[in-house]
Amino acid sequence: MSLQVRNVSKEFENRKAIENISFSTERGEIIGILGTSGCGKSTLLRSVSGLDTSYSGDVLLDGQVCRHVDERLGFIFQQPRLMPWLSVIENVSFGLNGRKDEKQKNAARYLDLVGLKGNESDYPKQLSGGMAQRVAIARALVTSPEYLLLDEPFSALDAFTKMKLQDLLLEIWEAYQTTILLVTHDVEEALYLCDRLIILKGQPGTIDEELLIDEPRPRSRGSAKLAAYKEHILNRLELTTPVN
Ligand SMILES: Nc1ncnc2c1ncn2[C@@H]1O[C@H](COP(=O)(O)OP(=O)(O)OP(=O)(O)O)[C@@H](O)[C@H]1O
């Protein structure tokens, strides 16, 4: 699915949060929205996703203006947002239609994919943060979305879990050729995962640069080329220490 964002601006109580944002994404790409805190990354993602419709400008999906939450989109947020009264498998199958046994079979397939086979009947309170986020990933994938929108999906996790789930995301992307739009403030994460970065800056946030990450996959986290990109981005954002 292709996505086009045309001159999107949004204000809260007469204060602009983002201004004149335009970019497009092609099918199968992983695009990162990167920027420092408060530059409007989440605001932009909420507008693109249709979760928020009170913005000016247009969002087009496959060439059609879209101002609602399209069923071809899947979401993963910073917090897993699981329903505590439902088991893991019920959380994943919750939004599906059809017969219960078929829904559960489908959900079980995705739980297996994210490494949670055997945890189907657990409840959210029994899970670690990383496991809960895996459930959220399975829940996002179970509807076979063409386009995944991710808002800092790994930022609440420890470094090891984060790296494992980043690799899981790449495996999923390879297997399903899903298009992915990832909001992050983590420069290294953006460089490891994305084909292209939209760098936001300022308040209101505007696009400072679009950067193609010309590094073949599989990427090495310690590659000299990614380090050079990181240096460039930090200078661009006028930061000498990593963004946080
Ligand atoms: N519901 C709201 N009401 C009023 N102002 C808001 C609201 N949501 C966001 N803002 C403002 O819009 C601007 C952009 O916020 P946003 O959360 O999109 O930034 P962000 O880049 O995602 O930040 P972070 O990385 O810290 O999550 C900020 O100045 C913020 O205070």
Side-chain angles (χ1 to χ4, degrees), residues 2-238:
S2 70
L3 176 136
Q4 239 185 313
V5 175
R6 280 203 309 223
N7 295 322
V8 167
S9 302
K10 158 95 189 166
E11 57 183 56
F12 294 102
E13 294 137 21
N14 298 324
R15 250 189 47 209
K16 284 184 179 164
I18 48 173
E19 190 163 31
N20 263 332
I21 306 282
S22 298
F23 65 90
S24 51
T25 71
E26 297 303 323
R27 197 161 164 240
E29 264 191 312
I30 307 182
I31 308 98
I33 308 278
L34 181 69
T36 47
S37 181
C39 69
K41 302 181 295 297
S42 298
T43 301
L44 175 61
L45 198 77
R46 286 182 60 78
S47 303
V48 167
S49 64
L51 290 170
D52 184 344
T53 55
S54 62
Y55 57 88
S56 62
D58 286 313
V59 173
L60 292 87
L61 298 182
D62 283 343
Q64 302 288 316
V65 172
C66 181
R67 243 183 161 83
H68 60 267
V69 179
D70 191 284
E71 60 186 16
R72 293 169 294 174
L73 303 176
F75 298 93
I76 305 173
F77 302 99
Q78 186 176 353
Q79 300 297 337
R81 303 182 181 189
L82 304 179
M83 289 176 270
W85 60 91
L86 296 181
S87 68
V88 161
I89 196 155
E90 287 164 344
N91 264 284
V92 175
S93 62
F94 183 76
L96 297 175
N97 297 318
R99 280 185 17 214
K100 190 175 175 193
D101 57 340
E102 278 171 10
K103 291 196 314 186
Q104 298 231 334
K105 206 169 130 198
N106 206 2
R109 223 177 74 220
Y110 285 94
L111 283 170
D112 189 11
L113 178 79
V114 299
L116 287 178
K117 198 179 168 83
N119 296 96
E120 294 86 349
S121 50
D122 287 353
Y123 280 82
K125 66 170 191 260
Q126 297 172 274
L127 306 176
S128 70
M131 289 163 88
Q133 198 59 332
R134 283 170 192 268
V135 177
I137 295 172
R139 182 188 54 196
L141 293 174
V142 77
T143 56
S144 305
E146 290 178 43
Y147 208 113
L148 272 179
L149 299 168
L150 282 68
D151 193 356
E152 305 200 359
F154 311 127
S155 62
L157 305 171
D158 66 87
F160 296 112
T161 309
K162 181 191 271 200
M163 284 193 267
K164 276 179 107 166
L165 291 193
Q166 288 167 344
D167 285 326
L168 174 67
L169 184 70
L170 288 176
E171 279 170 33
I172 288 164
W173 170 76
E174 268 189 42
Y176 295 95
Q177 291 299 302
T178 318
T179 313
I180 296 177
L181 186 63
L182 167 76
V183 158
T184 183
H185 59 228
D186 181 335
V187 182
E188 287 171 9
E189 172 170 280
L191 290 171
Y192 184 62
L193 295 176
C194 299
D195 298 305
R196 200 151 52 89
L197 298 181
I198 313 282
I199 299 175
L200 295 189
K201 196 171 162 181
Q203 280 178 328
T206 53
I207 295 183
D208 185 55
E209 188 180 5
E210 249 194 72
L211 191 64
L212 197 68
I213 309 305
D214 184 17
E215 175 82 325
R217 292 197 174 89
R219 292 177 180 170
S220 156
R221 293 177 191 271
S223 102
K225 195 144 178 209
L226 292 191
Y229 278 120
K230 182 176 172 183
E231 179 80 16
H232 168 82
I233 293 167
L234 295 182
N235 283 332
R236 193 88 197 189
L237 294 174
E238 292 158 30

